[in-house]
Amino acid sequence: MANIEFHKIWIEQCEATEGIRDHFGTQDAIRYLIGEKFLNFLEESDRRPEFAGELPNFVAKVKEIFEPHEVSEFLDGLLHERTAEDEDWPFDDFEDAELEPRDVVNEAEKIVLIERAKELLVK
């Protein structure tokens, strides 16, 4: 049985991105690579040193595949989705909305993760 190196899966994911871009366009390609694969990899890099070691290589490859403005626009869109104020919010606070504290923390963690991705990929 072959030894699978999950911390190097980003290489295949970057290769697949080219095909996605050719068949479905840049938005689908960026949603796949950054919105799914990179954000998950970045999160995993906090827990596993082998992923953290590969992170600079993954970042460099993403920068080769996408233009900075494409990455910035995509990540800004993700942030806007998570932070947009809802004019129709009928509740005075989170307790009235019956939100679990863990849900609020999870959402905050996602926002921080997107900000970290933006710092790595755009700056």
Side-chain angles (χ1 to χ4, degrees):
M1 178 186 260
N3 184 17
I4 299 173
E5 295 182 280
F6 288 106
H7 62 285
K8 294 200 179 203
I9 194 74
W10 66 269
I11 297 167
E12 292 174 21
Q13 294 167 340
C14 288
E15 290 170 0
T17 298
E18 297 297 339
I20 294 169
R21 180 187 283 183
D22 292 344
H23 287 89
F24 302 103
T26 299
Q27 287 306 307
D28 283 347
I30 206 164
R31 193 174 308 114
Y32 165 78
L33 188 61
I34 297 175
E36 294 176 30
K37 306 309 179 186
F38 185 80
L39 290 177
N40 288 334
F41 195 95
L42 181 58
E43 193 170 32
E44 196 63 27
S45 73
D46 289 339
R47 293 186 283 273
R48 298 177 61 188
E50 66 272 23
F51 281 73
E54 287 295 316
L55 189 59
N57 299 326
F58 196 177
V59 167
K61 188 63 178 175
V62 170
K63 288 180 174 185
E64 283 179 29
I65 295 171
F66 297 109
E67 295 294 324
H69 73 90
E70 294 171 325
V71 175
S72 183
E73 289 169 13
F74 174 75
L75 292 172
D76 285 346
L78 284 182
L79 284 172
H80 180 74
E81 288 173 15
R82 296 201 175 279
T83 60
E85 296 206 19
D86 187 351
E87 305 263 334
D88 297 327
W89 181 259
F91 307 104
D92 290 331
D93 58 29
F94 292 124
E95 200 170 284
D96 288 345
E98 297 181 9
L99 290 173
E100 294 293 323
R102 186 69 200 147
D103 294 337
V104 175
V105 170
N106 284 340
E107 198 59 28
E109 288 172 348
K110 293 290 184 197
I111 292 168
V112 169
L113 188 66
I114 294 167
E115 287 288 354
R116 281 183 58 211
K118 189 171 180 181
E119 189 168 304
L120 288 169
L121 296 173
V122 179
K123 297 177 181 172

